[in-house]
Amino acid sequence: MKNSIETIWKEGFLNEKSLVVPKINDLYSQKSKHLVDKIKRMFKINIITIILVALLLPVIYYLIDAIWQGIGISILLLCTAWYSKKQMKSIKALNQGATSYDYLISFDQWLKNALLKNENVLRFSYPLYFLIVMSTILSAWSKQEKLITKFSRKYPDIVFIGDIPLFTLIITVIGTLMMFFFSRKIYRWDVKLVYGRILKKLEETIYEMEKLKEEE
């Protein structure tokens, strides 16, 4: 295109009196600020949502007579929120740089490191969430004496450990191991689902700014 950003950029440098280059710089500066602010806002909303869920779950679990499991999940969620909040504070230490491009590169690196740290933490959190959920289900099952008696009579060959069928314990162990091994993929899918579009815009903006710098 004759009037593409790349063309305007080069023409701006060819003509020292041109005001196009400052306008382009301002355009990308505003775009960069908008992207960074939006990502920060999304992170804050995510943290607030986690805290609200953490406060609500014990009440829900109390109603189904599984208060300790609810408290367990709540503690895990609050730890996750605290860790994310701690990482958010580290943004202030980022190098502002001489240009919006420098800051955007610095922010992009911080974001990748933050997501990687969260991934490493949640690798252990996901299996714990699964164990707590299974514990809630098995706890509810153990309280159904009539159902357990009826089930054991109907399936006399099934091995029980206490009131719990052995196969459910095996499923719990296998499920926990699978959550551990696939936790990274689960987390990346979660990040892509929530932040995918804005992260793509960040990458595209950095790419555009790099292309313009090459054309100088």
Side-chain angles (χ1 to χ4, degrees), residues 135-195:
S135 172
T136 303
I137 295 172
L138 295 178
S139 177
W141 164 266
S142 297
K143 296 172 183 177
Q144 305 298 320
E145 295 181 5
K146 291 182 179 180
L147 181 61
I148 293 172
T149 301
K150 185 177 180 180
F151 185 84
S152 60
R153 287 176 180 175
K154 188 174 182 179
Y155 303 101
D157 295 332
I158 291 179
V159 178
F160 280 77
I161 297 181
D163 295 328
I164 309 298
L166 177 60
F167 73 88
T168 60
L169 296 177
I170 294 174
I171 290 174
T172 300
V173 172
I174 293 175
T176 302
L177 291 174
M178 289 182 67
M179 289 295 291
F180 179 78
F181 286 115
F182 292 103
S183 58
R184 292 184 184 276
K185 290 185 178 181
I186 295 172
Y187 176 72
R188 290 170 187 171
W189 175 81
D190 188 27
V191 169
K192 186 176 181 180
L193 182 66
V194 178
Y195 301 103

Side-chain angles (χ1 to χ4, degrees), residues 28 31-40 43 100-101 103-112 115 195-210:
Y28 275 102
K31 186 175 182 180
S32 300
K33 185 178 183 300
H34 174 72
L35 280 172
V36 171
D37 288 345
K38 187 172 183 179
I39 292 173
K40 287 180 181 179
F43 264 70
S100 58
Y101 171 76
Y103 179 70
L104 208 59
I105 290 295
S106 181
F107 179 79
D108 181 59
Q109 187 60 51
W110 169 86
L111 185 59
K112 289 177 180 176
L115 293 176
Y195 301 103
R197 292 182 63 184
I198 190 67
L199 293 179
K200 186 177 181 180
K201 286 183 180 180
L202 178 62
E203 291 180 357
E204 289 174 349
T205 301
I206 292 175
Y207 175 76
E208 289 173 3
M209 295 175 79
E210 288 176 343

Side-chain angles (χ1 to χ4, degrees), residues 80-94:
T80 300
W82 170 81
Y83 187 71
S84 298
K85 181 67 176 178
K86 184 179 179 182
Q87 292 195 88
M88 283 290 293
K89 291 182 178 179
S90 66
I91 295 179
K92 297 178 181 179
L94 292 180

